[in-house]
Amino acid sequence: MKAVFILIVIFIGSLLAAQDFTQITTGDIVNDGGWNYSCCWADFNNDGWEDLFVCNNDSNNGRYNFLYWNNGDGTFTRDETGGTVTTDGGSSYGCCAADYDNDGFNDLFVANYNEDNFLYKNYGGGAFIRITEGSIANDNGRSTGSQWIDYDHDGWLDLWVCNRDEPNFLYHNNGDGTFERTYTGTLTSESRNTGNCIWADFDGNGYPDVFLANSGPNYNSLFFNNGDGTFTPLMDDPLVNDLESFDIASCGDIDNDGDYDIYTAPGMLPASAYDIYFYLNNGDGSFLRQTGLPHSGLNAGGGCSMTDWDNDGDLDVLQTAYDGFNLLLQNNDGSLEQITTGALAADGNYNKEPAWCDYDGDGDLDVFLAVNNYFSGNNKFFRNDATGNNWLQIKLIGSMSNYNGIGSTITITAEINGETVIQKSETDCRNSLITHFGLGDAQVIDELVIIWSSDIENIFHNVTVNQLLEIAEQQISQDHNELPISVHNLHNYPNPFNPLTNITYQLTSAGLVSIKIFNIKGQQITELANEPQPAGAHHLTWDATSFSSGIYYLSLQSGDSFITRKLILLK
């Protein structure tokens, strides 16, 4: 068992400098009102800027779910096209966005309470169609939250749905646009009164495990993924033995030791009963609770997150307040110090789920707070104005893995303040689909390692800081001195297809381009291009009329770039 090294300190007033957040008060995004429980960021129209979806539980009073388009200039436009995403209504409590059909467009799932859940397929440009067939759209549960994951590493995103007072749902992605509800032991058969969940690889075996924050009389739960479709519950551990009315949860490697720690807390409880719970991962499948964490000014929690808001190379904690003031715990070389001044720390009441994203592209993470106000209060948005520290952002594009690279592990090594710091993170759908790292005064990334959920490993050295990298999965393990960036935005649509699929890509520089199609055995079956091409956007069509149904792989190579995509031909 590793030693406990995090010192918990509370600083009142001006003893610790306030974090630089500015509350945004103009625009529909913070003036629409409603009973909002959750939100999620994703680039739904593929314009390079992440958009925002917000759940609303007040459709009976004419307030439906909201979709805001990011204009790329610091402003947002509310979607008023009458599309089904913003007109379906529903008692919506949770949402998550990702590309479940690997067609290059981010889709959307909305968890509803005592109603059928909503699954929306994105057909491009943010044009959604609601899927109404299958159990995933007709199970009618007391659903409060959800998360996209590839629990079996087959390259297709599966879906987990949290339920109150009934078993949770796990839907397996069949790879053809449909889902099948899956039953795997006590994980999906027992009622747990789950308010929130986290999927991450807590035991280091390469497969995502699941932590469930359960309200009493149920204890919290952690199920380890055995990699064969079965799960084993964690037993006799503080993480699952502390009984409380838990409602929120987040995870991250807060001590930069290579494993994921867990933060959880109760929801709406009286101040006398309230406490917060933080568990360090011992690295051997067990956890140790850290006691004495401050929560001055916070009497009931609405949501929480672990992210590096000050870009210094370690994760901080934000817990939003349903009652009282928000709780900000800043990580300073292993000590968590409470910040009590500044716009974000001085805010509170009716705040629910926070979602972080660099919406303005300036290299720091901003945060949107969904506000559940019975009296029709507005949502809240805080711009991060921090300066001085370096950063790196990574957008993964999977081919053998799922398109978003969800569940893939990213590890970076850099020298920060004279010491070698190793940071580890997984791409997930709880905040932005772009993974963010703070780097302090680091001038270069010594090593960047990506282990995809397909088990493919890509390694890069001497990576420049202060940039957004778009990295495509490569079929073979390679050790690169620099990132291959001559080809990006490789998409094909539709997918699945019959018999035509459109292939689009962009070249950052002119070069020889080779585009080939392989079958599932790795045999080349056709070549679509082998010629010099200029920089810019390109488009071609594959006509697969003469080929049989099945899985194929599109391979594009130009210069140092080598990218693959999985194609599905259905006849």
Side-chain angles (χ1 to χ4, degrees), residues 409-429:
T409 300
I410 305 173
T411 304
I412 65 171
T413 304
E415 184 175 308
I416 302 176
N417 294 328
E419 296 184 1
T420 299
V421 177
I422 301 175
Q423 300 181 61
K424 179 180 177 182
S425 184
E426 290 185 16
T427 300
D428 64 25
C429 62

Side-chain angles (χ1 to χ4, degrees), residues 456-476:
I456 291 175
E457 181 177 296
N458 297 147
I459 304 174
F460 311 99
H461 291 110
N462 302 320
V463 178
T464 303
V465 300
N466 297 338
Q467 63 171 324
L468 167 61
L469 294 176
E470 186 176 282
I471 302 178
E473 184 176 12
Q474 301 184 42
Q475 282 186 312
I476 60 175

